Amino acid sequence: MPPFKDEQILIIAPGSQVTLAQWGLPESFTPAQWRFPTRMFPAESKGEFEPYRIRERRTEIKLSNGSDNGNGSGTAKEDVEMKDTQSTQTGPDAPKVEGAEETKPQTAENAEGENKEETGEGQTVEEIFYDEDKASEEGAVFPIENGRIVDWPCFFALLTHIYNTLKPGLAPVMLIAEPVWSLRDREAITQFVFEKLKAPAFSLMDSALAVCYGYGVSTATVVDVGKDKVDVTAVTDFAVNEHGRGIALEGCGGDYMTDRLLELLGSKGFSRDMCEQLKRSNITELLPAGTPLPGTAATAQQGTQATGAGPQTGEAQPKNPNGTVENEEEEGVLDVAAIVSGNTSEFLAAREKEKSTKKGVDQAAKPVRLPNSKKEKATFQYQEYVRIEPDKDAPSGPARFILQTRDIEVGVERFFAATPKQNIEERLSSGILEDIATQIHHTILAVPDATKRSDLWDSLIIVGNGSRIKGFTQALLGTINQKFVLSPSGTIFTSEIPSNFSTPLPTGGTNTPAPQGLPGPMHHPAGHGVNPLLVAATHSNNPAAPNMPPGTPSVDPSFSHHRSTGHSQTPTSVRTVKPPEYFPEWKEQTASNAAQNNPNVNGPPGPAATGGHRGMEEAVFLGAQVASKVVFVLDQGLSKGFMSRVEYNENGPSAIHEYVM
């Protein structure tokens, strides 16, 4: 098979709300060039779908003598005189034609009525116009819910729409698979790609593994926060651990936070669209545990100090490194030449006046801006597209929209997006952060290799557009630390020691075991002997170390294989993976810039495409580009990273399971 080129590869990453797509790999990997709403609209024919809602508009047009009579010019057609070829005689002696009606005397009234009937003047004709409403989701069909494909004809219609829009020709396809997809789902997609899209090669990649490719790590715990679900996956050495994997946890995604804001602000006139844009704005934030809310006494005291209302009694002013007070002149330094040359009292008075004036100008020119977490009320811009109705006299055309923006003020409710709902019936948790933290703990403990669990705790990757809310990652890490992280103490030496070894007891008010100098490493009457594993761990596993304190028992080499493998049951630290630095396009990309790349695809951005920073939350697409480069261009199928058409013709769609990454 000839090798594929970078410009031939088609990448598609379906999501519950937005499907990312791109044809061709750029020299430096960038965010997705195309963003398609994951929804279609029923067409006139049963079983067919349209990408946009088609609105039928009926208009009654009144015909007049000067109206359009079918010639498209808006003017009346020229009358043509038709002569009777049979007889031109008139009068009483003229022969009568059989079957002809008698002609009535031509009067003014009859002539006017006949003119109106011939020209159609006064009649109304109904015309039908069809408009594409690109901003409406009324009557839309969403093929993916909670990651699951619930409408296969609609999903295949979406893939066809993406393929027809990009027009890649015979291009290899890389498709990102959701963790919840079954084996039968993968086979059906494979059959569609090869038989309908005529792809020469097809690769199906797990979304969690794609995130690891994007971050450039082989072992990580991937937390994907989506629209209405969360996936938690443990990846060790580029292998997905299916056992204990958290798949499609419902009620933990971005919709939960939107519903929570609607529950708090619905009584104040907020709609769901308003709450959705509020969640995506910069004023909505998840505060760490223990942070006082704005308006409380602690916050008010901090705000008073920040605004410069006056220092508290006994508090020292901030000083510069040289020891002087910041923004203040040294009191003991005077211009000696100015004092000698003039009047000393006048000079000192002028100097004091200048200092007081300068202070007033500085305070007026530099207003102190409080951070969002200390503001009791904040304002965000709400954007909505309003349809413009055409004038009565204006010619009919496609529907037009205008963007309207207005400022809306919100109180402290913006900090409660992740708190538990008031009308919870089935969920008994205290919030989505606690639920996600519990699932992470369960997933890591289910990894068979206990030596990898510590690395998984120190390699958390939080992605998904549901995690774009400000402070989400920090709040989740704080919840994990509070619920599961073991504080470093003497207990870390004893919790995983085998039962046939002695357990050190606290001595002298501490958890540090004291050496007893007993005659053997395994001699532990009454359980007061020193654990040889503890001695080996604190002395580099060297029983013959010369710097060992006297009286320390030696470790038998036969027990050297009993090494502590780390705290696999309870973590001692939790860290996130640092994003890669060599993809600058993923740092500054915004939703507005992405929409400018393809303004004709999504139409007017609805609630799903407004505002917000798009960075590494969509790292799954970055990993898809990296994997496509490796699989299709560099590896060329040697490691079975993709399935070719020849292999599909020989083995059928069920063989895709041998090529799934």
Side-chain angles (χ1 to χ4, degrees):
M1 175 181 292
F4 297 106
K5 298 180 180 180
D6 292 352
E7 59 270 15
Q8 295 176 330
I9 301 173
L10 175 62
I11 304 175
I12 302 176
S16 299
Q17 194 171 25
V18 177
T19 296
L20 308 179
Q22 182 170 303
W23 178 34
L25 297 178
E27 184 176 352
S28 178
F29 297 146
T30 61
Q33 297 177 355
W34 298 84
R35 308 177 63 86
F36 295 86
T38 309
R39 47 106 177 109
M40 300 292 284
F41 296 89
E44 292 185 359
S45 301
K46 186 178 181 180
E48 297 183 0
F49 295 88
E50 298 285 347
Y52 307 113
R53 177 174 175 79
I54 306 299
R55 293 188 180 274
E56 182 180 297
R57 182 162 48 88
R58 298 177 179 269
T59 306
E60 293 185 354
I61 299 178
K62 187 175 182 180
L63 298 179
S64 61
N65 195 24
S67 64
D68 190 356
N69 291 314
N71 56 1
S73 61
T75 59
K77 290 184 178 180
E78 184 180 356
D79 294 337
V80 179
E81 183 180 358
M82 302 297 294
K83 297 182 179 180
D84 191 357
T85 57
Q86 295 183 359
S87 174
T88 58
Q89 299 181 8
T90 59
D93 297 333
K96 294 184 179 180
V97 180
E98 185 178 355
E101 297 181 358
E102 293 188 10
T103 58
K104 298 181 179 179
Q106 189 75 7
T107 61
E109 295 179 358
N110 292 339
E112 183 179 355
E114 290 178 3
N115 267 340
K116 289 183 178 180
E117 291 179 1
E118 292 176 1
T119 61
E121 184 178 357
Q123 296 181 359
T124 58
V125 178
E126 187 179 45
E127 293 191 6
I128 301 177
F129 297 92
Y130 295 94
D131 297 335
E132 286 186 351
D133 191 351
K134 298 183 179 181
S136 174
E137 291 187 348
E138 180 184 355
V141 178
F142 294 87
I144 300 178
E145 294 180 2
N146 295 328
R148 297 178 175 87
I149 302 177
V150 296
D151 194 317
W152 283 98
C154 183
F155 179 72
F156 289 150
L158 174 64
L159 296 181
T160 305
H161 168 60
I162 296 174
Y163 193 85
N164 294 336
T165 302
L166 302 183
K167 296 181 174 62
L170 297 178
V173 178
M174 165 69 75
L175 187 70
I176 301 300
E178 290 287 338
V180 73
W181 290 358
S182 64
L183 300 180
R184 182 67 187 93
D185 296 341
R186 299 168 187 261
E187 294 176 7
I189 295 173
T190 302
Q191 183 177 2
F192 175 81
V193 169
F194 277 109
E195 296 185 4
K196 300 298 181 181
L197 303 184
K198 308 297 182 183
F202 177 57
S203 178
L204 199 60
M205 188 176 190
D206 191 278
S207 60
L209 188 59
V211 173
C212 292
Y213 269 78
Y215 273 79
V217 294
S218 61
T219 300
T221 303
V222 180
V223 182
D224 189 353
V225 185
K227 178 178 179 290
D228 41 20
K229 53 89 180 178
V230 171
D231 297 317
V232 181
T233 307
V235 180
T236 55
D237 296 329
F238 291 111
V240 177
N241 293 270
E242 297 292 345
H243 181 64
R245 188 178 189 183
I247 298 178
L249 303 178
E250 298 183 8
C252 295
D255 277 355
Y256 176 91
M257 292 180 277
T258 303
D259 295 338
R260 176 57 177 154
L261 291 175
L262 181 60
E263 184 181 53
L264 295 172
L265 299 171
S267 59
K268 298 182 179 180
F270 276 68
S271 63
R272 198 179 194 282
D273 187 21
M274 292 181 182
C275 294
E276 179 70 21
Q277 294 192 31
L278 170 62
K279 181 190 69 176
R280 298 169 183 240
S281 65
N282 293 329
I283 67 173
T284 301
E285 184 176 358
L286 299 184
L287 301 179
T291 304
L293 292 175
T296 59
T299 311
Q301 183 178 2
Q302 296 175 4
T304 303
Q305 297 176 10
T307 53
Q312 299 293 330
T313 304
E315 292 186 357
Q317 293 290 336
K319 294 185 178 182
N320 292 323
N322 58 4
T324 60
V325 180
E326 187 177 3
N327 295 330
E328 291 288 342
E329 298 181 5
E330 294 182 359
E331 295 294 336
V333 179
L334 298 177
D335 191 350
V336 180
I339 296 175
V340 173
S341 60
N343 192 348
T344 304
S345 60
E346 294 180 359
F347 171 78
L348 294 177
R351 188 171 183 270
E352 292 295 332
K353 183 178 180 180
E354 181 182 354
K355 288 173 59 178
S356 60
T357 305
K358 184 178 180 181
K359 288 182 180 180
V361 172
D362 291 342
Q363 291 180 0
K366 297 180 180 179
V368 179
R369 298 182 60 183
L370 294 175
N372 178 61
S373 59
K374 296 182 180 180
K375 294 180 181 179
E376 188 172 358
K377 292 185 178 181
T379 304
F380 79 101
Q381 287 189 342
Y382 172 63
Q383 298 179 350
E384 59 179 341
Y385 280 86
V386 180
R387 183 173 179 175
I388 302 177
E389 296 295 336
D391 297 336
K392 296 181 179 180
D393 300 333
S396 300
R400 296 185 302 167
F401 297 86
I402 184 174
L403 178 63
Q404 291 184 353
T405 304
R406 54 194 175 101
D407 295 337
I408 300 179
E409 191 177 55
V410 188
V412 295
E413 294 87 356
R414 65 188 189 274
F415 301 117
F416 299 139
T419 55
K421 296 180 181 179
Q422 298 177 359
N423 55 354
I424 293 179
E425 296 179 358
E426 299 178 0
R427 290 167 47 93
L428 300 178
S429 67
S430 54
I432 62 172
L433 296 178
E434 286 76 6
D435 287 352
I436 298 175
T438 303
Q439 181 60 50
I440 294 173
H441 184 260
H442 172 73
T443 299
I444 294 180
L445 289 186
V447 175
D449 190 356
T451 60
K452 294 291 185 180
R453 297 173 186 172
S454 178
D455 296 336
L456 292 173
W457 281 114
D458 291 334
S459 303
L460 284 182
I461 301 178
I462 302 175
V463 295
N465 286 327
S467 65
R468 287 170 51 200
I469 183 172
K470 187 177 180 181
F472 184 89
T473 301
Q474 291 76 10
L476 180 58
L477 292 179
T479 304
I480 295 175
N481 278 278
Q482 185 179 4
K483 288 176 64 72
F484 302 109
V485 173
L486 179 67
S487 60
S489 63
T491 56
I492 65 174
F493 296 103
T494 61
S495 62
E496 293 185 9
I497 295 175
S499 59
N500 61 339
F501 291 155
S502 61
T503 302
L505 295 180
T507 58
T510 64
N511 286 338
T512 304
Q516 301 295 327
L518 296 177
M522 300 302 296
H523 180 73
H524 49 86
H528 295 289
V530 178
N531 194 326
L533 297 182
L534 178 59
V535 178
T538 55
H539 297 87
S540 303
N541 290 331
N542 187 6
N547 56 350
M548 293 181 64
T552 302
S554 60
V555 180
D556 191 343
S558 61
F559 298 101
S560 60
H561 64 279
H562 293 287
R563 294 187 304 107
S564 178
T565 58
H567 247 267
S568 61
Q569 300 298 325
T570 305
T572 57
S573 63
V574 179
R575 299 183 182 91
T576 57
V577 179
K578 185 180 180 181
E581 298 289 342
Y582 37 84
F583 297 113
E585 292 83 0
W586 285 85
K587 299 178 182 178
E588 304 298 333
Q589 178 74 4
T590 59
S592 59
N593 295 336
Q596 291 175 2
N597 295 336
N598 52 341
N600 296 326
V601 175
N602 297 334
T610 55
H613 175 79
R614 298 192 186 277
M616 293 303 291
E617 292 85 4
E618 295 178 351
V620 61
F621 198 81
L622 173 60
Q625 297 178 79
V626 176
S628 299
K629 179 75 172 183
V630 174
V631 170
F632 289 113
V633 180
L634 301 179
D635 185 69
Q636 299 181 14
L638 295 179
S639 59
K640 289 189 174 182
F642 65 87
M643 185 178 186
S644 65
R645 173 165 288 278
V646 175
E647 294 163 340
Y648 174 78
N649 293 336
E650 292 178 354
N651 303 318
S654 59
I656 190 61
H657 309 306
E658 301 178 7
Y659 302 90
V660 172
M661 298 181 61

